[in-house]
Amino acid sequence: MDKLILGTTYFARGLLFGAIVYAIFFCAAKVTGCRKGKCSGVRIAMEAIFTMYLVTLLQITGVDSVFSWRFTMSGTCNWVPFSNEEIKLVLLNVLLFLPMGFFVPLLIRKSRSWIRTIAFGAGCSLLIELSQMILIGRTADVDDFLANTSGCAIGYVLFQ
């Protein structure tokens, strides 16, 4: 029950903070002239949903709060794939990155190829794993990286 409440909290905070972050960037882009012309309501909604997803992703992985960063190298790294991982955790990591494989080619035209989308997802996963190891002192796990990248690839297939 605690995990369900925690997940609901991540989701609610992700919606709220993601909407705030998107509103700030959207207004800044309009004021500075970076965003010329009209954007469709669907495009704005998709960008806002993707921003909310990214904020929720950072919260779930634990790298969302600058205040929790310790800049420590005490984190470890597990290089052995699928050595002691529960299948449930692997599936959750796949699901965690599935929206990225869908939204990236939808919103970024240059990333419409499967290789660019999967490379973007793999890069984000690697950045999160390294951040967890260096900034928080947790374990960077190759299982998480592989599952996240697979989730991004499945999301791309769903996009197609």
Side-chain angles (χ1 to χ4, degrees):
M1 185 67 172
D2 291 339
K3 290 184 181 180
L4 180 62
I5 292 170
L6 186 62
T8 306
T9 303
Y10 285 145
F11 184 69
R13 284 179 27 199
L15 290 178
L16 176 65
F17 294 141
I20 292 168
V21 167
Y22 181 73
I24 291 168
F25 281 109
F26 182 80
C27 291
K30 280 293 202 184
V31 168
T32 60
C34 293
R35 185 164 228 165
K36 295 178 182 156
K38 285 189 170 185
C39 288
S40 70
V42 173
R43 170 81 183 186
I44 292 171
M46 291 306 225
E47 289 174 352
I49 291 168
F50 185 59
T51 305
M52 291 176 206
Y53 159 73
L54 290 176
V55 170
T56 305
L57 176 70
L58 292 176
Q59 288 181 21
I60 290 171
T61 57
V63 294
D64 66 322
S65 177
V66 175
F67 303 111
S68 67
W69 292 357
R70 293 180 293 209
F71 294 102
T72 178
M73 290 300 287
S74 64
T76 59
C77 193
N78 174 22
W79 291 102
V80 181
F82 307 108
S83 59
N84 56 359
E85 197 71 37
E86 293 182 33
I87 190 70
K88 182 172 83 171
L89 293 176
V90 172
L91 291 176
L92 287 173
N93 275 312
V94 168
L95 288 174
L96 189 63
F97 267 68
L98 200 131
M100 186 170 293
F102 182 82
F103 278 111
V104 167
L106 184 69
L107 295 173
I108 306 170
R109 292 180 197 257
K110 291 182 179 180
S111 294
R112 292 247 166 120
S113 72
W114 67 271
I115 192 75
R116 286 185 178 179
T117 300
I118 294 172
F120 186 87
C124 288
S125 179
L126 182 64
L127 186 63
I128 287 171
E129 291 300 315
L130 291 176
S131 297
Q132 287 176 338
M133 184 177 72
I134 295 169
L135 301 176
I136 305 172
R138 291 176 33 188
T139 299
D141 200 342
V142 69
D143 298 340
D144 293 348
F145 174 77
L146 294 173
N148 294 342
T149 305
S150 299
C152 187
I154 293 169
Y156 181 79
V157 169
L158 293 175
F159 168 76
Q160 289 298 316

